Amino acid sequence: MPRSSSSEPVEARILETARAHVRKFGAARATIVGIAQESGMTHANVYRYFPSKDALLEEVTASWLRPLEARLREAADGADPAYDKLERMLLAIHRVYRQKLETDPALFDLLVDALDKAKGSVRKHRARVQSEIQRVVEEGVASGAFAMADRRRALSLVFDAAHRFIHPLAMRLDAEAAGPAIEDRFERIIALVLRALRSGRV
């Protein structure tokens, strides 16, 4: 059931407090009781909005992923050529994840944990990301911008080549590497992928 607009400030307060507790204590030590106390309410009231601690933490993660999903939809809907869209979308995914990894590691770890446990909110996020990229690849094939006519092969090329740079689990392995150097390497990989898509040759 959709929540009424009057409930939004309360939910937002709970989420902001939950973010602060995850940053301060870590996800394992953050508790509904502590979050409720700091939010100025009973834990029973928190459960009115989120049925469990897991549900609350999933929403904490989903809330910072939604703007990225919106950017990808906007890019996919744009009038630019498919190869420009694809480059912009892949870099957007990398930059959003990388910034979170560098500036908000506790919340990035929530995303990694959700991926590791295949939680629903992150499965939906991955499906949305993949859907928008698939839409652009299919557009490129249909318009002739991409000579690689096998859509499945084209998508596999994109995701296989980009994996290290857009999958949070892989990105965490590069956490100590300099961000600009990693992005420069990704830009070179994207250029190779686009060349293959446009030529039809790998």
Side-chain angles (χ1 to χ4, degrees):
M1 175 184 293
R3 297 185 179 96
S4 67
S5 60
S6 63
S7 73
E8 290 304 318
V10 177
E11 182 174 323
R13 189 163 78 248
I14 294 169
L15 285 170
E16 188 51 45
T17 304
R19 291 184 195 103
H21 278 228
V22 170
R23 291 175 181 129
K24 184 175 181 180
F25 305 113
R29 293 175 57 204
T31 66
I32 291 292
V33 171
I35 291 166
Q37 288 176 343
E38 191 163 327
S39 300
M41 62 186 72
T42 66
H43 66 277
N45 199 44
V46 173
Y47 285 124
R48 288 180 54 209
Y49 297 89
F50 303 98
S52 66
K53 176 182 168 181
D54 277 350
L56 174 55
L57 295 184
E58 280 202 75
E59 181 58 26
V60 166
T61 301
S63 66
W64 69 263
L65 295 173
R66 286 192 193 101
L68 171 60
E69 294 168 6
R71 285 175 62 186
L72 297 180
R73 283 195 301 274
E74 182 179 352
D77 288 338
D80 296 335
Y83 44 83
D84 284 345
K85 292 181 186 181
L86 186 57
E87 179 180 27
R88 190 161 68 250
M89 292 164 74
L90 290 172
L91 285 172
I93 298 165
H94 173 77
R95 287 167 179 165
V96 168
Y97 288 168
R98 181 73 195 194
Q99 182 181 36
K100 186 62 72 171
L101 171 64
E102 292 178 349
T103 64
D104 209 349
L107 294 195
F108 187 84
D109 284 346
L110 273 185
L111 171 61
V112 170
D113 182 67
L115 281 166
D116 188 50
K117 296 175 180 174
K119 293 186 177 178
S121 61
V122 177
R123 287 202 312 271
K124 291 175 184 176
H125 169 68
R126 288 189 67 191
R128 290 174 188 132
V129 169
Q130 290 170 357
S131 175
E132 297 304 336
I133 291 176
Q134 179 176 338
R135 194 152 64 97
V136 170
V137 169
E138 290 178 346
E139 175 190 316
V141 172
S143 68
F146 297 155
M148 189 177 290
D150 186 329
R151 289 166 169 77
R152 190 170 297 178
R153 185 168 174 239
L155 281 167
S156 294
L157 173 64
V158 171
F159 287 117
D160 289 349
H163 181 270
R164 180 172 184 174
F165 304 95
I166 65 170
H167 194 291
L169 284 163
M171 292 179 71
R172 191 162 67 175
L173 297 176
D174 285 327
E176 300 304 316
I182 293 291
E183 183 169 321
D184 183 62
R185 288 163 59 188
F186 189 31
E187 287 176 343
R188 292 198 297 270
I189 293 294
I190 292 172
L192 290 172
V193 169
L194 292 176
R195 193 177 306 152
L197 291 172
R198 296 176 75 173
S199 70
R201 296 189 299 274
V202 179

